[in-house]
Amino acid sequence: MSIAVITGASSGMGEEFARRLVAEKDGFPGAPFDEIWLIARSEEKLRLLAEELGGNRYRALPLDLTSPSDISRLSDILEEEKPQVGLLINCAGMGKLGAFASHSKQDVHTMVTLNCTALSEVTHMFLPYMISYGDTLSAKGGPRIINIASSAGFLPQPDFALYAATKSFVISLSRALHVEVKPHHISVTCVCPGPVDTNFVKVSKSDPNARITGFKAKFVTTVDKLIPASLRAAKKGKRMLVFGFGQKMLHLASKILPTNLILYFEKDMK
Ligand SMILES: NC(=O)c1ccc[n+]([C@@H]2O[C@H](COP(=O)([O-])OP(=O)(O)OC[C@H]3O[C@@H](n4cnc5c(N)ncnc54)[C@H](OP(=O)(O)O)[C@@H]3O)[C@@H](O)[C@H]2O)c1
């Protein structure tokens, strides 16, 4: 059985990836996939999405990826099914705005566990199935991993410090893993968007009506632009997609300017 897997599939980018994969006929190994596994906590949202998109091809897996027992459940399902994994998309993530000291203990734990630990554990558990599949395929047509990081990961970000640090982790892991798994014809594409119009901002500001405001509002993009570009980058086996002109400039600045100087200007960019 060939599968694609999407974490964070109940909303935002993950949901858009799920919608785009309906039409995916041959861009990834195993496509059109026998099953597309949709992972997030919201059972009802996943069930409705799976029904809307195509019934039994979409498997809703309501799991909390910060829960060790749910991670074990996913591992059990994987061992039982032994699928050929053509595409893994790590989208589940969250961030909280504000000074590090102001975060609750729970938010600190969740940000690190979801953005770093869960992404690592999920990738680690799926990799053996991707490696064995990739070894049977050509270099160009091997399995793909898409990790959603963020341009926040390019630099330290006061008032978004922990989130930015977790995304630096995702960028670093993705880039090294891309090299490690290349001999198995697998590529890891690390996607680094700036602000995207999803539920993320509502969670980050703990406000269901929150919107992206201030300097960041100038750079907002939408999932219907970002997700097709991410899929194209993954098909080409690109190791990184920095999405949008503003984010590309930030990426360049993070490489050539002293970090202290950028931190000085960041004060005025909120
Ligand atoms: N939006 C932005 O401005 C932006 C910019 C750069 C990068 N990103 C990154 O993009 C990724 C997708 O975010 P988004 O913008 O699409 O936000 P979103 O709409 O809030 O989606 C987050 C997804 O993660 C899932 N999730 C949250 N906690 C989970 C848990 N404990 N276990 C399993 N799933 C969980 C959510 O589903 P449930 O609530 O149902 O669990 C939801 O499906 C994240 O990694 C985020 O850091 C976002």
Side-chain angles (χ1 to χ4, degrees):
M1 173 174 69
S2 70
I3 68 163
V5 184
I6 308 168
T7 75
S10 66
S11 77
M13 298 183 206
E15 181 183 344
E16 186 66 16
F17 273 118
R19 293 184 181 284
R20 299 276 166 175
L21 287 189
V22 179
E24 204 53 63
K25 297 284 181 261
D26 53 11
F28 295 99
F33 299 105
D34 296 320
E35 281 193 3
I36 296 166
W37 293 6
L38 307 175
I39 300 173
R41 291 166 303 175
S42 317
E43 185 167 6
E44 184 64 359
K45 282 194 201 166
L46 290 182
R47 191 183 60 74
L48 290 173
L49 183 64
E51 268 176 28
E52 181 197 331
L53 294 182
N56 53 14
R57 261 189 85 212
Y58 282 79
R59 189 193 288 205
L61 294 171
L63 299 167
D64 181 344
L65 294 175
T66 65
S67 148
S69 61
D70 280 13
I71 289 282
S72 294
R73 249 189 77 208
L74 182 59
S75 175
D76 291 345
I77 296 169
L78 199 49
E79 272 176 35
E80 202 173 295
E81 299 288 356
K82 298 188 179 16
Q84 290 179 319
V85 183
L87 178 62
L88 167 63
I89 304 175
N90 285 306
C91 228
M94 63 81 81
K96 286 281 176 186
L97 273 167
F100 181 68
S102 73
H103 295 326
S104 68
K105 198 171 155 189
Q106 184 60 47
D107 282 344
V108 170
H109 176 78
T110 306
M111 253 185 280
V112 176
T113 310
L114 182 62
N115 297 1
C116 303
T117 312
L119 180 140
S120 308
E121 288 176 339
V122 168
T123 306
H124 187 257
M125 87 170 69
F126 278 92
L127 255 188
Y129 298 89
M130 304 187 90
I131 289 173
S132 57
Y133 191 25
D135 285 342
T136 68
L137 299 166
S138 70
K140 276 194 172 173
R144 301 289 187 247
I145 297 173
I146 300 176
N147 285 339
I148 305 296
S150 167
S151 59
F154 300 154
L155 284 159
Q157 290 213 358
D159 287 336
F160 216 10
L162 185 58
Y163 176 73
T166 66
K167 292 302 180 177
S168 292
F169 173 97
V170 176
I171 294 170
S172 177
L173 177 68
S174 304
R175 297 191 73 165
L177 193 57
H178 180 76
V179 176
E180 282 187 21
V181 296
K182 203 170 177 182
H184 302 289
H185 309 146
I186 301 169
S187 72
V188 183
T189 301
C190 183
V191 176
C192 299
V196 188
D197 189 12
T198 65
N199 282 337
F200 180 84
V201 66
K202 301 179 175 80
V203 175
S204 71
K205 294 186 177 175
S206 307
D207 172 2
N209 300 312
R211 302 206 141 267
I212 299 165
T213 53
F215 185 75
K216 286 185 178 172
K218 296 185 187 11
F219 298 99
V220 180
T221 191
T222 51
V223 291
D224 62 321
K225 294 191 180 100
L226 173 67
I227 302 313
S230 304
L231 288 169
R232 279 196 300 277
K235 281 178 196 169
K236 288 181 188 159
K238 283 193 165 188
R239 61 186 159 70
M240 201 145 173
L241 172 68
V242 180
F243 191 76
F245 181 73
Q247 312 314 315
K248 285 188 170 69
M249 289 300 102
L250 181 66
H251 192 219
L252 184 66
S254 72
K255 287 180 179 300
I256 59 177
L257 295 178
T259 304
N260 281 345
L261 183 69
I262 300 176
L263 281 168
Y264 177 79
F265 284 114
E266 270 184 353
K267 282 199 316 277
D268 303 322
M269 287 183 182
K270 288 178 201 137

Coordinates of all heavy atoms in Angstrom, one line a residue, residues 3-88:
I3 N 1.4 5.3 0.6 CA 0.7 6.3 1.4 C 1.5 7.6 1.4 O 2.7 7.7 1.1 CB 0.5 5.9 2.9 CG1 1.8 5.8 3.6 CG2 -0.3 4.6 3.0 CD1 1.7 5.8 5.2
A4 N 0.7 8.7 1.6 CA 1.2 10.0 2.0 C 0.7 10.3 3.4 O -0.4 9.9 3.8 CB 0.8 11.1 1.0
V5 N 1.5 11.0 4.2 CA 1.2 11.3 5.6 C 1.3 12.8 5.8 O 2.3 13.5 5.4 CB 2.1 10.6 6.5 CG1 1.7 10.9 8.0 CG2 2.2 9.2 6.2
I6 N 0.2 13.4 6.4 CA 0.3 14.8 6.7 C 0.0 15.0 8.2 O -1.1 14.6 8.7 CB -0.8 15.6 5.9 CG1 -0.7 15.3 4.4 CG2 -0.7 17.1 6.2 CD1 -1.9 15.8 3.6
T7 N 0.9 15.6 8.9 CA 0.6 16.0 10.3 C 0.1 17.5 10.3 O 0.4 18.2 9.4 CB 1.8 15.9 11.2 OG1 2.7 17.0 11.0 CG2 2.5 14.6 11.1
G8 N -0.8 17.8 11.3 CA -1.4 19.1 11.3 C -2.4 19.3 10.2 O -2.5 20.4 9.6
A9 N -3.1 18.2 9.8 CA -4.0 18.2 8.6 C -5.3 18.8 8.9 O -6.1 18.9 7.9 CB -4.1 16.8 8.1
S10 N -5.6 19.2 10.1 CA -7.0 19.6 10.4 C -7.3 21.1 10.0 O -8.4 21.5 10.0 CB -7.4 19.4 11.8 OG -6.6 20.2 12.7
S11 N -6.2 21.9 9.8 CA -6.4 23.3 9.4 C -5.2 23.8 8.7 O -4.1 23.1 8.6 CB -6.7 24.1 10.6 OG -5.6 24.4 11.4
G12 N -5.3 25.1 8.2 CA -4.2 25.8 7.6 C -3.4 25.1 6.5 O -4.0 24.5 5.6
M13 N -2.1 25.0 6.7 CA -1.3 24.5 5.6 C -1.5 23.0 5.4 O -1.6 22.5 4.3 CB 0.2 24.7 6.0 CG 0.6 26.2 6.0 SD 2.3 26.3 6.4 CE 2.3 27.9 7.2
G14 N -1.6 22.3 6.5 CA -1.8 20.8 6.5 C -3.1 20.5 5.7 O -3.1 19.6 4.9
E15 N -4.2 21.2 6.0 CA -5.4 21.0 5.3 C -5.3 21.3 3.8 O -5.8 20.5 3.0 CB -6.5 21.9 5.9 CG -7.9 21.7 5.2 CD -9.0 22.6 5.8 OE1 -8.8 23.2 6.9 OE2 -10.0 22.7 5.1
E16 N -4.6 22.3 3.5 CA -4.4 22.7 2.1 C -3.5 21.6 1.4 O -3.8 21.2 0.2 CB -3.7 24.1 2.0 CG -3.6 24.6 0.6 CD -4.9 24.9 -0.2 OE1 -6.0 25.0 0.5 OE2 -4.9 25.0 -1.4
F17 N -2.5 21.1 2.0 CA -1.8 20.0 1.5 C -2.7 18.8 1.1 O -2.6 18.2 0.1 CB -0.7 19.5 2.4 CG 0.6 20.2 2.3 CD1 1.1 20.9 3.4 CD2 1.4 20.2 1.1 CE1 2.4 21.6 3.3 CE2 2.6 20.9 1.1 CZ 3.1 21.6 2.2
A18 N -3.6 18.5 2.1 CA -4.5 17.4 1.9 C -5.4 17.6 0.7 O -5.6 16.7 -0.2 CB -5.4 17.2 3.1
R19 N -5.9 18.8 0.5 CA -6.8 19.2 -0.6 C -6.0 19.1 -1.9 O -6.5 18.6 -2.9 CB -7.3 20.6 -0.5 CG -8.3 20.8 0.7 CD -8.9 22.1 0.8 NE -9.7 22.2 1.9 CZ -11.0 21.6 2.0 NH1 -11.4 21.0 0.9 NH2 -11.7 21.7 3.1
R20 N -4.7 19.5 -1.9 CA -3.9 19.5 -3.2 C -3.6 18.0 -3.6 O -3.4 17.7 -4.7 CB -2.6 20.3 -3.0 CG -2.9 21.7 -2.7 CD -3.1 22.5 -3.9 NE -3.6 23.8 -3.7 CZ -3.8 24.8 -4.5 NH1 -3.5 24.6 -5.8 NH2 -4.4 25.9 -4.2
L21 N -3.5 17.1 -2.6 CA -3.0 15.8 -2.9 C -4.1 15.0 -3.6 O -3.9 13.9 -4.2 CB -2.6 15.0 -1.6 CG -1.2 15.5 -1.1 CD1 -0.8 14.5 0.0 CD2 -0.1 15.5 -2.2
V22 N -5.4 15.5 -3.6 CA -6.5 14.8 -4.3 C -6.1 14.7 -5.7 O -6.3 13.6 -6.4 CB -7.8 15.6 -4.2 CG1 -8.9 14.9 -4.9 CG2 -8.2 15.8 -2.7
A23 N -5.5 15.7 -6.3 CA -5.3 15.8 -7.7 C -3.9 15.3 -8.1 O -3.5 15.3 -9.2 CB -5.4 17.3 -8.2
E24 N -3.1 14.8 -7.1 CA -1.8 14.4 -7.3 C -1.7 13.0 -8.0 O -2.0 12.0 -7.3 CB -1.0 14.3 -6.0 CG 0.5 14.5 -6.1 CD 0.9 15.7 -6.9 OE1 0.6 16.8 -6.5 OE2 1.6 15.4 -7.9
K25 N -1.4 13.0 -9.3 CA -1.5 11.7 -10.0 C -0.2 10.9 -10.1 O -0.1 9.7 -9.9 CB -2.0 11.9 -11.4 CG -3.4 12.5 -11.5 CD -4.5 11.5 -11.2 CE -5.9 12.0 -11.3 NZ -6.4 12.4 -10.0
D26 N 0.9 11.7 -10.3 CA 2.2 10.9 -10.5 C 3.4 11.7 -10.1 O 4.5 11.4 -10.4 CB 2.3 10.5 -12.0 CG 2.2 11.7 -12.9 OD1 2.1 12.8 -12.4 OD2 2.0 11.4 -14.1
G27 N 3.2 12.8 -9.3 CA 4.4 13.7 -9.0 C 5.2 13.1 -7.9 O 6.4 13.5 -7.7
F28 N 4.7 12.1 -7.1 CA 5.4 11.5 -6.0 C 5.4 10.0 -6.1 O 4.4 9.5 -6.7 CB 4.8 12.0 -4.6 CG 4.9 13.4 -4.4 CD1 3.9 14.3 -4.6 CD2 6.1 14.0 -3.9 CE1 4.0 15.6 -4.4 CE2 6.2 15.3 -3.7 CZ 5.1 16.2 -3.9
P29 N 6.4 9.3 -5.6 CA 6.3 7.9 -5.7 C 5.1 7.3 -5.0 O 4.8 7.7 -3.9 CB 7.6 7.4 -5.0 CG 8.1 8.5 -4.2 CD 7.6 9.8 -4.9
G30 N 4.4 6.4 -5.7 CA 3.2 5.8 -5.1 C 1.9 6.6 -5.4 O 0.8 6.1 -5.2
A31 N 2.0 7.8 -6.0 CA 0.9 8.6 -6.3 C 0.2 8.1 -7.6 O 0.9 7.7 -8.5 CB 1.2 10.1 -6.5
P32 N -1.1 8.1 -7.7 CA -2.1 8.5 -6.7 C -2.0 7.5 -5.5 O -2.1 6.3 -5.7 CB -3.4 8.4 -7.4 CG -3.2 7.5 -8.5 CD -1.8 7.6 -8.9
F33 N -1.9 8.1 -4.3 CA -1.7 7.2 -3.1 C -2.9 6.4 -2.8 O -4.0 6.8 -3.0 CB -1.4 8.1 -1.9 CG -0.1 9.0 -2.1 CD1 -0.2 10.3 -2.4 CD2 1.1 8.4 -2.1 CE1 0.9 11.1 -2.6 CE2 2.3 9.1 -2.3 CZ 2.2 10.5 -2.5
D34 N -2.6 5.1 -2.3 CA -3.7 4.3 -1.9 C -4.4 4.9 -0.7 O -5.6 4.9 -0.6 CB -3.2 2.9 -1.5 CG -2.6 2.2 -2.7 OD1 -3.2 2.3 -3.8 OD2 -1.6 1.5 -2.6
E35 N -3.6 5.5 0.2 CA -4.2 6.1 1.4 C -3.4 7.4 1.7 O -2.2 7.5 1.5 CB -4.1 5.2 2.6 CG -5.2 4.2 2.6 CD -5.3 3.5 4.0 OE1 -4.6 3.9 4.9 OE2 -6.1 2.6 4.0
I36 N -4.1 8.4 2.2 CA -3.5 9.6 2.7 C -3.9 9.7 4.2 O -5.1 9.8 4.5 CB -3.9 10.9 1.9 CG1 -3.4 10.7 0.4 CG2 -3.4 12.1 2.5 CD1 -4.0 11.6 -0.6
W37 N -2.9 9.7 5.0 CA -3.1 9.7 6.5 C -3.1 11.1 7.0 O -2.2 11.9 6.8 CB -2.1 8.9 7.2 CG -2.1 7.4 6.9 CD1 -2.9 6.8 6.0 CD2 -1.3 6.4 7.5 NE1 -2.6 5.4 6.0 CE2 -1.6 5.2 6.9 CE3 -0.3 6.4 8.5 CZ2 -1.0 4.0 7.3 CZ3 0.3 5.2 8.9 CH2 -0.1 4.0 8.3
L38 N -4.2 11.5 7.6 CA -4.4 12.9 8.1 C -4.3 12.8 9.6 O -5.1 12.2 10.3 CB -5.8 13.4 7.7 CG -6.1 13.3 6.2 CD1 -7.6 13.8 6.0 CD2 -5.2 14.2 5.4
I39 N -3.3 13.5 10.2 CA -3.1 13.5 11.6 C -3.3 14.9 12.2 O -2.7 15.9 11.7 CB -1.6 13.0 11.9 CG1 -1.4 11.6 11.3 CG2 -1.3 13.1 13.4 CD1 0.0 11.1 11.4
A40 N -4.0 15.0 13.3 CA -4.1 16.2 14.1 C -5.0 15.7 15.4 O -5.4 14.5 15.4 CB -4.8 17.3 13.4
R41 N -5.3 16.6 16.3 CA -6.1 16.2 17.4 C -7.6 16.3 17.2 O -8.3 15.5 17.7 CB -5.8 17.2 18.6 CG -4.4 17.0 19.2 CD -4.1 18.2 20.1 NE -4.2 19.5 19.4 CZ -4.1 20.7 19.9 NH1 -3.8 20.8 21.2 NH2 -4.2 21.8 19.2
S42 N -8.0 17.2 16.3 CA -9.5 17.4 16.1 C -10.1 16.3 15.3 O -10.1 16.4 14.0 CB -9.7 18.7 15.5 OG -8.9 19.7 16.0
E43 N -10.7 15.3 16.0 CA -11.2 14.1 15.3 C -12.3 14.5 14.3 O -12.4 14.1 13.1 CB -11.8 13.2 16.3 CG -12.3 11.9 15.8 CD -12.6 10.8 16.8 OE1 -12.5 11.2 18.0 OE2 -12.9 9.7 16.4
E44 N -13.2 15.4 14.7 CA -14.4 15.8 13.9 C -13.9 16.5 12.6 O -14.4 16.2 11.5 CB -15.3 16.7 14.7 CG -16.6 17.1 14.0 CD -17.5 16.0 13.7 OE1 -17.2 14.8 14.0 OE2 -18.6 16.2 13.1
K45 N -12.9 17.4 12.7 CA -12.4 18.2 11.6 C -11.8 17.2 10.6 O -12.0 17.3 9.4 CB -11.4 19.2 12.0 CG -12.0 20.5 12.6 CD -10.9 21.5 12.6 CE -11.2 22.6 13.6 NZ -10.0 23.4 13.8
L46 N -11.0 16.2 11.1 CA -10.3 15.3 10.2 C -11.4 14.4 9.5 O -11.2 14.1 8.3 CB -9.4 14.4 11.0 CG -8.1 15.1 11.5 CD1 -7.2 14.1 12.3 CD2 -7.3 15.8 10.5
R47 N -12.4 14.0 10.3 CA -13.4 13.1 9.7 C -14.2 13.8 8.6 O -14.3 13.2 7.5 CB -14.4 12.6 10.8 CG -15.3 11.5 10.4 CD -16.3 11.2 11.5 NE -17.1 12.3 11.9 CZ -18.2 12.8 11.2 NH1 -18.5 12.2 10.1 NH2 -18.9 13.8 11.6
L48 N -14.5 15.0 8.8 CA -15.3 15.8 7.8 C -14.4 16.0 6.6 O -14.8 15.9 5.4 CB -15.7 17.1 8.4 CG -16.8 17.1 9.4 CD1 -17.1 18.4 10.0 CD2 -18.1 16.5 8.8
L49 N -13.1 16.3 6.8 CA -12.2 16.6 5.7 C -12.0 15.3 4.9 O -12.0 15.3 3.6 CB -10.8 17.0 6.2 CG -9.8 17.4 5.2 CD1 -10.2 18.6 4.3 CD2 -8.4 17.7 5.8
A50 N -11.8 14.2 5.6 CA -11.6 12.9 4.9 C -12.9 12.5 4.0 O -12.8 12.1 2.9 CB -11.4 11.8 5.9
E51 N -14.0 12.8 4.6 CA -15.3 12.5 3.9 C -15.4 13.4 2.6 O -15.7 12.9 1.6 CB -16.5 12.8 4.8 CG -17.0 11.6 5.6 CD -18.1 12.0 6.5 OE1 -18.8 12.9 6.3 OE2 -18.2 11.3 7.6
E52 N -15.1 14.7 2.8 CA -15.2 15.6 1.7 C -14.2 15.3 0.6 O -14.6 15.4 -0.6 CB -14.9 17.0 2.3 CG -15.0 18.1 1.2 CD -14.3 19.4 1.6 OE1 -14.2 19.7 2.8 OE2 -13.9 20.1 0.7
L53 N -13.0 14.8 1.0 CA -12.0 14.7 0.0 C -12.0 13.3 -0.8 O -11.4 13.1 -1.8 CB -10.6 14.9 0.6 CG -10.4 16.3 1.0 CD1 -8.9 16.4 1.6 CD2 -10.6 17.3 -0.1
G54 N -12.7 12.3 -0.2 CA -12.7 11.1 -1.0 C -12.8 9.8 -0.1 O -12.3 8.8 -0.5
G55 N -13.5 9.9 1.0 CA -13.9 8.8 1.7 C -12.8 7.9 2.1 O -11.9 8.3 2.8
N56 N -12.7 6.7 1.6 CA -11.8 5.7 2.2 C -10.4 5.8 1.8 O -9.5 5.2 2.4 CB -12.3 4.3 2.0 CG -12.6 4.0 0.5 OD1 -12.1 4.8 -0.3 ND2 -13.3 2.9 0.2
R57 N -10.1 6.7 0.8 CA -8.6 7.0 0.5 C -8.0 7.8 1.6 O -6.8 7.7 1.8 CB -8.5 7.8 -0.8 CG -8.2 6.9 -2.0 CD -7.9 7.8 -3.2 NE -6.5 8.2 -3.2 CZ -6.1 9.4 -3.7 NH1 -7.0 10.2 -4.1 NH2 -4.8 9.7 -3.7
Y58 N -8.8 8.6 2.3 CA -8.2 9.5 3.4 C -8.5 8.8 4.7 O -9.6 8.5 5.1 CB -8.9 10.8 3.3 CG -8.3 11.7 2.2 CD1 -8.7 11.5 0.9 CD2 -7.3 12.6 2.5 CE1 -8.1 12.2 -0.1 CE2 -6.8 13.4 1.5 CZ -7.2 13.2 0.2 OH -6.6 13.9 -0.9
R59 N -7.4 8.6 5.5 CA -7.6 8.0 6.8 C -7.4 9.0 7.9 O -6.3 9.5 8.0 CB -6.6 6.8 7.0 CG -7.0 6.0 8.2 CD -5.9 5.0 8.7 NE -5.7 3.9 7.8 CZ -5.2 2.7 8.2 NH1 -4.8 2.6 9.4 NH2 -5.1 1.7 7.3
A60 N -8.4 9.3 8.6 CA -8.3 10.3 9.7 C -7.7 9.6 10.9 O -8.2 8.6 11.4 CB -9.7 10.8 10.1
L61 N -6.6 10.1 11.4 CA -5.9 9.6 12.6 C -5.8 10.7 13.7 O -4.9 11.5 13.7 CB -4.5 9.1 12.3 CG -4.4 8.0 11.3 CD1 -2.9 7.7 10.8 CD2 -4.9 6.7 11.9
P62 N -6.9 10.7 14.5 CA -6.9 11.8 15.6 C -5.9 11.5 16.7 O -6.1 10.5 17.5 CB -8.3 11.7 16.1 CG -8.9 10.5 15.6 CD -8.1 9.9 14.5
L63 N -4.8 12.2 16.6 CA -3.7 11.9 17.6 C -3.1 13.2 18.1 O -3.0 14.2 17.3 CB -2.6 11.1 16.9 CG -2.9 9.7 16.3 CD1 -1.8 9.3 15.4 CD2 -3.1 8.7 17.4
D64 N -2.8 13.2 19.4 CA -2.0 14.3 20.0 C -0.6 14.0 19.9 O -0.1 13.1 20.6 CB -2.5 14.6 21.4 CG -1.8 15.7 22.0 OD1 -0.7 16.2 21.5 OD2 -2.2 16.2 23.1
L65 N 0.2 14.6 19.0 CA 1.6 14.3 18.8 C 2.5 14.6 20.0 O 3.7 14.3 19.9 CB 2.1 14.9 17.5 CG 1.4 14.3 16.2 CD1 1.9 15.1 15.0 CD2 1.6 12.9 16.0
T66 N 2.0 15.3 20.9 CA 2.8 15.6 22.1 C 2.6 14.5 23.2 O 3.2 14.6 24.2 CB 2.4 17.0 22.8 OG1 1.1 17.0 23.3 CG2 2.6 18.1 21.8
S67 N 1.7 13.6 22.9 CA 1.4 12.5 23.9 C 2.2 11.3 23.5 O 2.0 10.7 22.4 CB -0.1 12.2 23.8 OG -0.3 10.9 24.1
P68 N 3.1 10.8 24.4 CA 3.9 9.6 24.1 C 3.0 8.4 23.7 O 3.3 7.6 22.9 CB 4.6 9.3 25.4 CG 4.7 10.7 26.1 CD 3.5 11.4 25.7
S69 N 1.8 8.3 24.4 CA 1.0 7.1 24.0 C 0.4 7.2 22.6 O 0.2 6.2 21.9 CB -0.1 6.9 25.1 OG -1.0 8.0 25.1
D70 N 0.1 8.4 22.2 CA -0.4 8.6 20.8 C 0.7 8.4 19.8 O 0.5 7.9 18.7 CB -1.0 10.0 20.6 CG -2.4 10.1 21.2 OD1 -2.8 9.1 21.9 OD2 -3.2 11.0 20.9
I71 N 1.9 8.8 20.1 CA 3.1 8.5 19.3 C 3.2 7.0 19.1 O 3.5 6.5 18.0 CB 4.4 9.2 19.8 CG1 4.3 10.7 19.6 CG2 5.6 8.6 19.2 CD1 4.6 11.2 18.2
S72 N 3.1 6.3 20.2 CA 3.2 4.8 20.2 C 2.1 4.2 19.4 O 2.3 3.2 18.6 CB 3.1 4.2 21.6 OG 4.2 4.6 22.4
R73 N 0.9 4.8 19.4 CA -0.2 4.3 18.6 C 0.1 4.4 17.2 O -0.2 3.5 16.4 CB -1.5 5.1 18.9 CG -2.5 4.2 19.7 CD -3.9 5.0 19.8 NE -4.6 4.9 18.5 CZ -5.5 5.9 18.2 NH1 -5.7 6.9 18.9 NH2 -6.2 5.7 17.1
L74 N 0.6 5.6 16.8 CA 1.0 5.8 15.4 C 2.0 4.7 14.9 O 1.9 4.2 13.8 CB 1.5 7.2 15.2 CG 1.9 7.6 13.8 CD1 0.7 7.5 12.8 CD2 2.4 9.1 13.8
S75 N 3.0 4.5 15.8 CA 4.0 3.5 15.5 C 3.4 2.1 15.3 O 3.8 1.4 14.4 CB 5.1 3.6 16.6 OG 6.0 2.6 16.4
D76 N 2.5 1.8 16.2 CA 1.8 0.5 16.1 C 1.1 0.4 14.7 O 1.1 -0.7 14.1 CB 0.8 0.3 17.2 CG 1.5 0.1 18.5 OD1 2.7 -0.1 18.5 OD2 0.8 0.3 19.6
I77 N 0.3 1.4 14.3 CA -0.4 1.4 13.1 C 0.6 1.2 11.9 O 0.3 0.4 11.0 CB -1.2 2.7 12.9 CG1 -2.3 2.9 14.0 CG2 -1.8 2.8 11.5 CD1 -2.9 4.2 14.0
L78 N 1.7 1.9 12.0 CA 2.7 1.8 10.9 C 3.2 0.4 10.8 O 3.4 -0.2 9.7 CB 3.8 2.8 11.3 CG 4.8 3.3 10.2 CD1 4.1 3.7 9.0 CD2 5.6 4.4 10.8
E79 N 3.6 -0.2 12.0 CA 4.1 -1.6 12.0 C 3.1 -2.6 11.4 O 3.4 -3.6 10.8 CB 4.6 -2.0 13.4 CG 6.0 -1.6 13.7 CD 6.4 -1.8 15.1 OE1 6.0 -2.9 15.6 OE2 7.2 -1.0 15.6
E80 N 1.8 -2.3 11.7 CA 0.8 -3.2 11.3 C 0.6 -3.1 9.8 O 0.5 -4.2 9.1 CB -0.5 -2.8 12.0 CG -1.6 -3.9 12.0 CD -2.7 -3.4 12.9 OE1 -2.5 -3.1 14.1 OE2 -3.8 -3.1 12.3
E81 N 0.6 -1.9 9.2 CA 0.3 -1.7 7.8 C 1.6 -1.9 6.9 O 1.4 -2.2 5.7 CB -0.2 -0.3 7.6 CG -1.5 0.0 8.3 CD -2.7 -0.7 7.7 OE1 -2.5 -1.4 6.6 OE2 -3.8 -0.6 8.2
K82 N 2.7 -1.6 7.4 CA 4.0 -1.7 6.7 C 3.8 -1.1 5.3 O 4.0 -1.7 4.2 CB 4.5 -3.1 6.5 CG 4.8 -3.7 7.9 CD 5.5 -5.1 7.7 CE 5.9 -5.7 9.0 NZ 5.3 -5.3 10.3
P83 N 3.5 0.2 5.2 CA 3.2 0.8 3.9 C 4.5 1.3 3.2 O 5.5 1.4 3.8 CB 2.4 2.1 4.3 CG 2.9 2.5 5.6 CD 3.3 1.2 6.3
Q84 N 4.3 1.6 1.9 CA 5.4 2.3 1.1 C 5.1 3.8 1.3 O 4.0 4.2 0.8 CB 5.3 1.9 -0.3 CG 5.7 0.4 -0.6 CD 5.6 0.0 -2.0 OE1 4.7 0.4 -2.7 NE2 6.6 -0.7 -2.5
V85 N 6.0 4.5 2.0 CA 5.7 5.9 2.3 C 6.4 6.7 1.2 O 7.6 6.9 1.2 CB 6.2 6.2 3.7 CG1 5.8 7.7 4.0 CG2 5.6 5.3 4.7
G86 N 5.5 7.4 0.4 CA 6.1 8.2 -0.7 C 6.2 9.6 -0.3 O 7.0 10.4 -0.9
L87 N 5.5 10.1 0.7 CA 5.5 11.5 1.0 C 5.1 11.7 2.5 O 4.1 11.2 2.9 CB 4.5 12.3 0.1 CG 4.3 13.8 0.4 CD1 5.6 14.5 0.1 CD2 3.2 14.3 -0.6
L88 N 6.0 12.4 3.2 CA 5.7 12.7 4.6 C 5.7 14.2 4.8 O 6.7 14.8 4.4 CB 6.7 12.1 5.6 CG 6.8 12.6 7.0 CD1 5.4 12.3 7.7 CD2 7.9 12.0 7.8

